[in-house]
Amino acid sequence: MGCMFSQLAAKFAFFPPSPPTYQITKSENGKLTVVSSSSSMPIPLADDSSLDALLIDTKHGNKIVAFYLKNPYARLTLLYSHGNAADLGQLYDLFVQLKVNLRVNIIGYDYSGYGASTGKPSEYNTYADIEAVYQCLQTEYGVSQEDLILYGQSVGSGPTLHLASKLPRLRGVVLHSGILSGLRVLCHVKFSFCFDIYQNINKIKKVKCPVLVIHGTEDDVVNWLHGNKLWKMAREPYEPLWIKGGGHCNLELFPDYIRHVCRFVQEMENMTTEIRLKKIRQNLRLPTRSNNTAVSANRCCCRIKCWRPKCLGCPKTSCIKCSWRLKCPKCWIPSCARCCRSSPKCPKCMRPCCWIKCLNCRCCVETNSGLNEKQNG
């Protein structure tokens, strides 16, 4: 039943352009080139020397197309997951602008069943698609997760958060008109169902890097409340961008969009490992030390056998048996045979006179005073 609902939800979630806006051809030297299949596209994709067209195999057996645009001054790489009604041919102009303005390398890909990619679009195919693209970045371009920013627009927020939840050292995440889940776009529900797709509401909590949320206040496709909820649930939320009057597909036209994203990328570039560790410690919110903590620390110190004064009468530590016994004033050892046997005894209690400073001092004093009176008489 859940599988049937998932397939039904996929039909409402994915709208690949038909026909695709581009085609992939192979030149004589074996290099893949991109040819526009629409006469309305002004830029010839095949003439861009910074563009690498890639065919990537996924673990589900599909071949997906990816565009990699190089920037010689870039320090970070942006992995872009697009919305549900576009393909790479329509996004090429945006990729060029982001590459220049953000000073990043950028890679975008078409989901299975989109553009020139094979297969059929589905939730789990998109997960396999973004995982294959990430592996390609690692093997072909040497990009590590520390130098990677994931960008997800609309439905693309699903595969973006799926991968981000598995990469603990990721540099950053951008959620552009993101969704809480597929079912929550259609109706306002407070619970997650097994047949729901893209349950980002559960995955956002697992992301351990800064998260920038961008959403339009007049979005009539994905309500602004989705973006607000994702921002509040993020473990390390970045200052969000709520574009007043912005819809679902026109946020890139607002000046605040590129300005805010550029500031986010620059801060991610300047973020060192030391700064990230400091933020992680602050987010942990460790409790302050109290008196109870100090007492427990002392107890723990005793448990690991730190130095404590030992009983002089026996080798034990804090001996209860010997601690209550009276001690010899000469050597302070209980029952001292060496000092006490040789000392004269009290005539009344027959104890050594060395105890005169202890409990029997009254007995000894009375005896001594009586002897002195007889001698005087």
Side-chain angles (χ1 to χ4, degrees):
M1 181 66 70
C3 181
M4 182 183 67
F5 276 107
S6 297
Q7 294 177 357
L8 183 63
K11 293 182 179 180
F12 289 99
F14 302 106
F15 301 97
S18 183
T21 60
Y22 69 95
Q23 295 178 356
I24 296 293
T25 60
K26 185 176 291 188
S27 59
E28 296 179 355
N29 57 3
K31 184 178 179 180
L32 297 176
T33 58
V34 183
V35 178
S36 172
S37 59
S38 174
S39 59
S40 61
M41 295 186 65
I43 299 179
L45 304 183
D47 296 339
D48 190 352
S49 59
S50 66
L51 172 64
D52 288 345
L54 307 170
L55 269 180
I56 305 174
D57 296 322
T58 71
K59 62 182 181 182
H60 291 172
N62 299 325
K63 290 183 177 294
I64 61 172
V65 180
F67 289 177
Y68 181 83
L69 285 81
K70 299 181 293 291
N71 187 326
Y73 304 102
R75 294 174 55 188
L76 301 178
T77 300
L78 190 74
L79 199 167
Y80 193 103
S81 300
H82 60 71
N84 67 338
D87 64 9
L88 293 178
Q90 298 172 338
L91 296 171
Y92 173 77
D93 292 343
L94 176 63
F95 289 171
V96 173
Q97 294 177 12
L98 293 177
K99 179 191 73 170
V100 175
N101 294 326
L102 303 181
R103 200 176 64 179
V104 295
N105 300 317
I106 185 169
I107 184 169
Y109 64 101
D110 265 337
Y111 310 127
S112 298
Y114 276 72
S117 300
T118 63
K120 294 182 179 181
S122 69
E123 177 189 8
Y124 292 100
N125 275 342
T126 59
Y127 294 160
D129 297 340
I130 194 171
E131 290 175 359
V133 174
Y134 172 65
Q135 292 177 1
C136 176
L137 284 175
Q138 286 183 307
T139 56
E140 298 296 330
Y141 298 99
V143 178
S144 62
Q145 58 179 292
E146 291 86 355
D147 299 325
L148 184 63
I149 296 177
L150 300 184
Y151 190 112
Q153 197 267 336
S154 188
V155 169
S157 61
T160 294
L161 289 177
H162 167 77
L163 182 62
S165 63
K166 297 184 175 183
L167 302 179
R169 300 187 304 275
L170 196 63
R171 185 60 65 101
V173 170
V174 180
L175 299 178
H176 176 161
S177 302
I179 64 175
L180 289 171
S181 71
L183 187 59
R184 286 176 172 85
V185 176
L186 302 177
C187 54
H188 299 285
V189 294
K190 296 183 179 180
F191 304 98
S192 297
F193 297 90
C194 60
F195 55 84
D196 198 0
I197 64 173
Y198 295 128
Q199 298 186 27
N200 296 335
I201 191 172
N202 299 328
K203 295 181 180 179
I204 186 67
K205 306 172 186 177
K206 302 178 183 179
V207 179
K208 301 178 181 179
C209 64
V211 178
L212 167 62
V213 178
I214 305 173
H215 219 105
T217 59
E218 302 297 329
D219 193 331
D220 56 353
V221 178
V222 180
N223 194 281
W224 168 82
L225 295 175
H226 286 249
N228 187 43
K229 183 74 172 179
L230 289 171
W231 176 69
K232 289 181 178 180
M233 296 182 67
R235 297 175 61 175
E236 193 174 343
Y238 187 82
E239 180 184 352
L241 176 61
W242 312 128
I243 299 181
K244 294 183 179 180
H248 189 69
C249 300
N250 62 347
L251 300 185
E252 297 89 350
L253 303 178
F254 290 82
D256 289 341
Y257 166 80
I258 194 66
R259 189 183 303 118
H260 200 83
V261 177
C262 186
R263 181 159 65 92
F264 174 75
V265 172
Q266 288 178 354
E267 290 189 16
M268 295 304 103
E269 285 182 351
N270 299 329
M271 183 179 294
T272 60
T273 304
E274 182 179 358
I275 296 175
R276 291 202 64 183
L277 290 176
K278 185 177 180 180
K279 286 188 175 182
I280 292 173
R281 294 190 188 101
Q282 292 175 353
N283 292 334
L284 290 177
R285 297 176 182 175
L286 296 175
T288 56
R289 289 182 177 271
S290 60
N291 294 333
N292 296 333
T293 309
V295 172
S296 62
N298 292 335
R299 291 176 180 174
C300 294
C301 185
C302 295
R303 290 175 184 174
I304 59 174
K305 299 182 180 179
C306 289
W307 180 87
R308 290 188 298 178
K310 295 182 178 180
C311 175
L312 298 176
C314 63
K316 296 181 180 180
T317 306
S318 299
C319 177
I320 301 177
K321 182 178 180 181
C322 302
S323 60
W324 63 273
R325 296 163 62 182
L326 298 175
K327 300 180 176 53
C328 174
K330 292 184 178 181
C331 61
W332 288 96
I333 299 178
S335 303
C336 175
R338 183 178 60 182
C339 300
C340 301
R341 290 180 181 178
S342 60
S343 301
K345 307 292 190 299
C346 174
K348 190 172 184 178
C349 61
M350 298 304 295
R351 291 188 179 184
C353 292
C354 60
W355 294 97
I356 195 169
K357 296 182 180 180
C358 302
L359 296 178
N360 297 314
C361 61
R362 184 180 301 175
C363 167
C364 297
V365 170
E366 292 178 354
T367 306
N368 292 334
S369 61
L371 293 173
N372 292 334
E373 289 178 358
K374 290 181 180 181
Q375 291 177 358
N376 293 333

